[in-house]
Short mmCIF file of all heavy atoms in Angstrom, two decimals:
data_model
loop_
_atom_site.label_atom_id
_atom_site.label_comp_id
_atom_site.label_asym_id
_atom_site.label_seq_id
_atom_site.Cartn_x
_atom_site.Cartn_y
_atom_site.Cartn_z
N ILE A 1 -33.07 -94.48 3.29
CA ILE A 1 -32.87 -95.93 3.22
C ILE A 1 -33.96 -96.69 3.94
O ILE A 1 -34.56 -97.64 3.40
CB ILE A 1 -31.48 -96.30 3.79
CG1 ILE A 1 -30.38 -95.61 2.99
CG2 ILE A 1 -31.30 -97.81 3.80
CD1 ILE A 1 -30.42 -95.86 1.50
N TRP A 2 -34.25 -96.28 5.18
CA TRP A 2 -35.23 -97.06 5.94
C TRP A 2 -36.66 -96.76 5.52
O TRP A 2 -37.54 -97.62 5.68
CB TRP A 2 -35.02 -96.86 7.44
CG TRP A 2 -33.76 -97.50 7.88
CD1 TRP A 2 -32.66 -96.90 8.44
CD2 TRP A 2 -33.42 -98.88 7.75
NE1 TRP A 2 -31.66 -97.81 8.66
CE2 TRP A 2 -32.10 -99.03 8.25
CE3 TRP A 2 -34.08 -100.00 7.26
CZ2 TRP A 2 -31.46 -100.27 8.27
CZ3 TRP A 2 -33.44 -101.23 7.28
CH2 TRP A 2 -32.15 -101.34 7.79
N GLY A 3 -36.90 -95.60 4.97
CA GLY A 3 -38.23 -95.36 4.39
C GLY A 3 -38.50 -96.29 3.24
O GLY A 3 -39.57 -96.94 3.16
N LEU A 4 -37.54 -96.42 2.32
CA LEU A 4 -37.72 -97.28 1.16
C LEU A 4 -37.67 -98.76 1.52
O LEU A 4 -38.51 -99.56 1.07
CB LEU A 4 -36.65 -96.97 0.11
CG LEU A 4 -36.70 -95.58 -0.52
CD1 LEU A 4 -35.56 -95.40 -1.51
CD2 LEU A 4 -38.04 -95.36 -1.23
N ASN A 5 -36.69 -99.16 2.34
CA ASN A 5 -36.57 -100.58 2.70
C ASN A 5 -37.79 -101.09 3.45
O ASN A 5 -38.20 -102.24 3.29
CB ASN A 5 -35.32 -100.80 3.55
CG ASN A 5 -34.04 -100.75 2.74
OD1 ASN A 5 -34.08 -100.73 1.51
ND2 ASN A 5 -32.90 -100.72 3.40
N SER A 6 -38.37 -100.24 4.29
CA SER A 6 -39.47 -100.68 5.14
C SER A 6 -40.79 -100.78 4.39
O SER A 6 -41.63 -101.62 4.73
CB SER A 6 -39.64 -99.71 6.32
OG SER A 6 -38.46 -99.64 7.09
N TRP A 7 -40.99 -99.95 3.36
CA TRP A 7 -42.33 -99.82 2.80
C TRP A 7 -42.47 -100.11 1.32
O TRP A 7 -43.59 -100.15 0.80
CB TRP A 7 -42.87 -98.43 3.11
CG TRP A 7 -43.27 -98.28 4.54
CD1 TRP A 7 -42.59 -97.66 5.54
CD2 TRP A 7 -44.45 -98.82 5.15
NE1 TRP A 7 -43.26 -97.77 6.74
CE2 TRP A 7 -44.41 -98.47 6.52
CE3 TRP A 7 -45.53 -99.56 4.67
CZ2 TRP A 7 -45.42 -98.84 7.41
CZ3 TRP A 7 -46.53 -99.93 5.55
CH2 TRP A 7 -46.47 -99.57 6.91
N SER A 8 -41.36 -100.31 0.60
CA SER A 8 -41.48 -100.54 -0.84
C SER A 8 -42.30 -101.78 -1.16
O SER A 8 -43.16 -101.77 -2.05
CB SER A 8 -40.10 -100.64 -1.49
OG SER A 8 -39.50 -99.38 -1.61
N ALA A 9 -42.03 -102.88 -0.44
CA ALA A 9 -42.77 -104.12 -0.72
C ALA A 9 -44.26 -103.94 -0.44
O ALA A 9 -45.11 -104.35 -1.26
CB ALA A 9 -42.20 -105.26 0.12
N SER A 10 -44.60 -103.32 0.67
CA SER A 10 -46.01 -103.09 1.00
C SER A 10 -46.67 -102.20 -0.03
O SER A 10 -47.83 -102.42 -0.43
CB SER A 10 -46.13 -102.47 2.39
OG SER A 10 -45.70 -103.37 3.39
N TYR A 11 -45.95 -101.17 -0.49
CA TYR A 11 -46.48 -100.26 -1.50
C TYR A 11 -46.81 -101.01 -2.80
O TYR A 11 -47.89 -100.85 -3.38
CB TYR A 11 -45.49 -99.15 -1.78
CG TYR A 11 -45.83 -98.30 -2.99
CD1 TYR A 11 -46.83 -97.34 -2.94
CD2 TYR A 11 -45.12 -98.47 -4.19
CE1 TYR A 11 -47.15 -96.58 -4.05
CE2 TYR A 11 -45.43 -97.71 -5.30
CZ TYR A 11 -46.44 -96.76 -5.23
OH TYR A 11 -46.75 -96.02 -6.33
N LEU A 12 -45.88 -101.84 -3.25
CA LEU A 12 -46.09 -102.56 -4.50
C LEU A 12 -47.24 -103.57 -4.38
O LEU A 12 -48.01 -103.76 -5.32
CB LEU A 12 -44.81 -103.27 -4.92
CG LEU A 12 -43.67 -102.36 -5.38
CD1 LEU A 12 -42.39 -103.17 -5.60
CD2 LEU A 12 -44.05 -101.62 -6.66
N VAL A 13 -47.36 -104.20 -3.22
CA VAL A 13 -48.44 -105.17 -3.01
C VAL A 13 -49.79 -104.47 -2.92
O VAL A 13 -50.77 -104.87 -3.57
CB VAL A 13 -48.17 -106.01 -1.74
CG1 VAL A 13 -49.40 -106.85 -1.38
CG2 VAL A 13 -46.96 -106.91 -1.94
N GLU A 14 -49.87 -103.38 -2.15
CA GLU A 14 -51.15 -102.75 -1.86
C GLU A 14 -51.60 -101.75 -2.93
O GLU A 14 -52.79 -101.65 -3.22
CB GLU A 14 -51.08 -102.05 -0.50
CG GLU A 14 -50.85 -103.02 0.65
CD GLU A 14 -50.64 -102.31 1.98
OE1 GLU A 14 -50.83 -101.08 2.04
OE2 GLU A 14 -50.26 -102.99 2.95
N GLU A 15 -50.64 -101.02 -3.49
CA GLU A 15 -51.00 -99.97 -4.45
C GLU A 15 -50.89 -100.42 -5.91
O GLU A 15 -51.63 -99.97 -6.76
CB GLU A 15 -50.11 -98.75 -4.24
CG GLU A 15 -50.34 -98.04 -2.93
CD GLU A 15 -51.69 -97.35 -2.88
OE1 GLU A 15 -51.96 -96.48 -3.75
OE2 GLU A 15 -52.49 -97.70 -1.98
N ARG A 16 -49.95 -101.30 -6.19
CA ARG A 16 -49.72 -101.72 -7.58
C ARG A 16 -50.22 -103.14 -7.86
O ARG A 16 -50.12 -103.62 -8.98
CB ARG A 16 -48.23 -101.64 -7.91
CG ARG A 16 -47.62 -100.24 -7.74
CD ARG A 16 -48.19 -99.22 -8.72
NE ARG A 16 -47.59 -97.92 -8.58
CZ ARG A 16 -46.68 -97.41 -9.42
NH1 ARG A 16 -46.27 -98.11 -10.45
NH2 ARG A 16 -46.19 -96.20 -9.21
N GLY A 17 -50.76 -103.83 -6.82
CA GLY A 17 -51.34 -105.15 -7.03
C GLY A 17 -50.34 -106.26 -7.27
O GLY A 17 -50.67 -107.31 -7.84
N LEU A 18 -49.12 -106.10 -6.79
CA LEU A 18 -48.09 -107.11 -6.99
C LEU A 18 -48.32 -108.28 -6.04
O LEU A 18 -48.52 -108.07 -4.84
CB LEU A 18 -46.71 -106.50 -6.74
CG LEU A 18 -45.51 -107.42 -6.98
CD1 LEU A 18 -45.27 -107.61 -8.48
CD2 LEU A 18 -44.26 -106.84 -6.32
N PRO A 19 -48.29 -109.54 -6.51
CA PRO A 19 -48.39 -110.69 -5.61
C PRO A 19 -47.24 -110.67 -4.60
O PRO A 19 -46.09 -110.37 -4.96
CB PRO A 19 -48.28 -111.89 -6.55
CG PRO A 19 -48.75 -111.38 -7.87
CD PRO A 19 -48.28 -109.95 -7.93
N ILE A 20 -47.52 -111.01 -3.36
CA ILE A 20 -46.54 -110.85 -2.29
C ILE A 20 -45.27 -111.66 -2.52
O ILE A 20 -44.17 -111.24 -2.15
CB ILE A 20 -47.18 -111.22 -0.92
CG1 ILE A 20 -46.22 -110.88 0.22
CG2 ILE A 20 -47.54 -112.70 -0.88
CD1 ILE A 20 -46.86 -111.03 1.59
N GLN A 21 -45.39 -112.81 -3.18
CA GLN A 21 -44.20 -113.64 -3.38
C GLN A 21 -43.21 -113.03 -4.36
O GLN A 21 -42.05 -113.44 -4.42
CB GLN A 21 -44.58 -115.04 -3.85
CG GLN A 21 -45.30 -115.09 -5.19
CD GLN A 21 -46.81 -115.10 -5.01
OE1 GLN A 21 -47.32 -114.52 -4.05
NE2 GLN A 21 -47.50 -115.77 -5.92
N TYR A 22 -43.63 -112.02 -5.13
CA TYR A 22 -42.73 -111.36 -6.08
C TYR A 22 -42.12 -110.09 -5.51
O TYR A 22 -41.25 -109.50 -6.16
CB TYR A 22 -43.48 -111.02 -7.37
CG TYR A 22 -44.00 -112.23 -8.11
CD1 TYR A 22 -45.35 -112.35 -8.41
CD2 TYR A 22 -43.15 -113.26 -8.47
CE1 TYR A 22 -45.84 -113.46 -9.07
CE2 TYR A 22 -43.62 -114.39 -9.13
CZ TYR A 22 -44.97 -114.48 -9.43
OH TYR A 22 -45.44 -115.58 -10.08
N GLY A 23 -42.56 -109.66 -4.35
CA GLY A 23 -42.05 -108.42 -3.78
C GLY A 23 -40.56 -108.46 -3.54
O GLY A 23 -39.83 -107.49 -3.80
N GLY A 24 -40.07 -109.61 -3.07
CA GLY A 24 -38.65 -109.72 -2.82
C GLY A 24 -37.82 -109.76 -4.10
O GLY A 24 -36.74 -109.19 -4.16
N LEU A 25 -38.35 -110.39 -5.13
CA LEU A 25 -37.60 -110.50 -6.38
C LEU A 25 -37.37 -109.14 -7.02
O LEU A 25 -36.32 -108.89 -7.63
CB LEU A 25 -38.35 -111.41 -7.35
CG LEU A 25 -38.49 -112.87 -6.91
CD1 LEU A 25 -39.32 -113.66 -7.92
CD2 LEU A 25 -37.13 -113.52 -6.72
N LEU A 26 -38.33 -108.23 -6.88
CA LEU A 26 -38.18 -106.92 -7.48
C LEU A 26 -37.19 -106.04 -6.70
O LEU A 26 -36.85 -104.95 -7.16
CB LEU A 26 -39.53 -106.22 -7.57
CG LEU A 26 -40.54 -106.86 -8.54
CD1 LEU A 26 -41.78 -106.00 -8.66
CD2 LEU A 26 -39.92 -107.09 -9.91
N ALA A 27 -36.74 -106.52 -5.54
CA ALA A 27 -35.74 -105.77 -4.78
C ALA A 27 -34.32 -106.10 -5.23
O ALA A 27 -33.37 -105.49 -4.74
CB ALA A 27 -35.89 -106.07 -3.29
N ILE A 28 -34.16 -107.05 -6.16
CA ILE A 28 -32.83 -107.48 -6.56
C ILE A 28 -32.04 -106.32 -7.18
O ILE A 28 -30.89 -106.07 -6.83
CB ILE A 28 -32.91 -108.66 -7.54
CG1 ILE A 28 -33.46 -109.89 -6.82
CG2 ILE A 28 -31.54 -108.96 -8.16
CD1 ILE A 28 -33.69 -111.09 -7.73
N GLY A 29 -32.65 -105.60 -8.12
CA GLY A 29 -31.96 -104.50 -8.78
C GLY A 29 -31.51 -103.42 -7.80
O GLY A 29 -30.32 -103.05 -7.78
N PRO A 30 -32.41 -102.90 -6.97
CA PRO A 30 -32.00 -101.87 -6.00
C PRO A 30 -30.92 -102.34 -5.03
O PRO A 30 -30.01 -101.57 -4.69
CB PRO A 30 -33.31 -101.56 -5.26
CG PRO A 30 -34.38 -101.85 -6.25
CD PRO A 30 -33.88 -103.04 -7.03
N THR A 31 -30.98 -103.59 -4.58
CA THR A 31 -29.97 -104.05 -3.63
C THR A 31 -28.60 -104.18 -4.29
O THR A 31 -27.57 -103.88 -3.67
CB THR A 31 -30.37 -105.40 -3.01
OG1 THR A 31 -30.67 -106.34 -4.04
CG2 THR A 31 -31.58 -105.24 -2.11
N LEU A 32 -28.56 -104.63 -5.54
CA LEU A 32 -27.27 -104.75 -6.22
C LEU A 32 -26.65 -103.39 -6.48
O LEU A 32 -25.44 -103.20 -6.28
CB LEU A 32 -27.46 -105.50 -7.55
CG LEU A 32 -27.73 -107.01 -7.43
CD1 LEU A 32 -27.97 -107.61 -8.81
CD2 LEU A 32 -26.58 -107.71 -6.74
N THR A 33 -27.45 -102.42 -6.91
CA THR A 33 -26.88 -101.09 -7.16
C THR A 33 -26.47 -100.41 -5.86
O THR A 33 -25.50 -99.65 -5.83
CB THR A 33 -27.87 -100.19 -7.92
OG1 THR A 33 -29.11 -100.11 -7.20
CG2 THR A 33 -28.13 -100.73 -9.32
N ALA A 34 -27.19 -100.69 -4.77
CA ALA A 34 -26.79 -100.15 -3.47
C ALA A 34 -25.43 -100.70 -3.06
O ALA A 34 -24.60 -99.98 -2.49
CB ALA A 34 -27.84 -100.47 -2.41
N ALA A 35 -25.19 -102.00 -3.34
CA ALA A 35 -23.90 -102.60 -3.02
C ALA A 35 -22.79 -101.95 -3.82
O ALA A 35 -21.73 -101.60 -3.28
CB ALA A 35 -23.94 -104.10 -3.30
N VAL A 36 -23.02 -101.76 -5.10
CA VAL A 36 -22.03 -101.11 -5.95
C VAL A 36 -21.77 -99.68 -5.47
O VAL A 36 -20.63 -99.22 -5.40
CB VAL A 36 -22.48 -101.11 -7.42
CG1 VAL A 36 -21.54 -100.28 -8.29
CG2 VAL A 36 -22.56 -102.54 -7.94
N GLY A 37 -22.84 -98.98 -5.12
CA GLY A 37 -22.70 -97.61 -4.63
C GLY A 37 -21.87 -97.54 -3.36
O GLY A 37 -21.04 -96.63 -3.20
N ALA A 38 -22.07 -98.49 -2.44
CA ALA A 38 -21.31 -98.49 -1.19
C ALA A 38 -19.82 -98.70 -1.45
O ALA A 38 -18.97 -98.03 -0.85
CB ALA A 38 -21.84 -99.57 -0.25
N VAL A 39 -19.50 -99.63 -2.34
CA VAL A 39 -18.09 -99.89 -2.66
C VAL A 39 -17.45 -98.66 -3.31
O VAL A 39 -16.34 -98.24 -2.94
CB VAL A 39 -17.96 -101.12 -3.57
CG1 VAL A 39 -16.52 -101.28 -4.05
CG2 VAL A 39 -18.41 -102.38 -2.83
N ILE A 40 -18.14 -98.08 -4.28
CA ILE A 40 -17.61 -96.90 -4.96
C ILE A 40 -17.48 -95.73 -4.00
O ILE A 40 -16.48 -94.99 -4.02
CB ILE A 40 -18.49 -96.52 -6.16
CG1 ILE A 40 -18.44 -97.63 -7.23
CG2 ILE A 40 -18.05 -95.19 -6.77
CD1 ILE A 40 -19.38 -97.40 -8.38
N GLY A 41 -18.48 -95.55 -3.13
CA GLY A 41 -18.41 -94.46 -2.15
C GLY A 41 -17.23 -94.60 -1.22
O GLY A 41 -16.58 -93.61 -0.86
N GLY A 42 -16.92 -95.84 -0.79
CA GLY A 42 -15.76 -96.06 0.06
C GLY A 42 -14.46 -95.79 -0.67
O GLY A 42 -13.55 -95.17 -0.12
#
């Protein structure tokens, strides 16, 4: 979790050329599925 949360945005900006203002928007899908996973896991 903390490996991905800490570095995914930097990876996309530095390695894939993503503009920094879009880094947060691309986290929407992973965060929503993580929420669903937590509820189902409980």
Side-chain angles (χ1 to χ4, degrees):
I1 300 306
W2 290 118
L4 295 178
N5 285 350
S6 301
W7 286 102
S8 285
S10 294
Y11 169 76
L12 290 172
V13 170
E14 296 174 9
E15 293 291 301
R16 301 295 181 104
L18 183 74
I20 187 171
Q21 62 266 31
Y22 298 123
L25 296 177
L26 293 186
I28 293 175
T31 53
L32 288 177
T33 56
V36 173
V39 172
I40 294 174

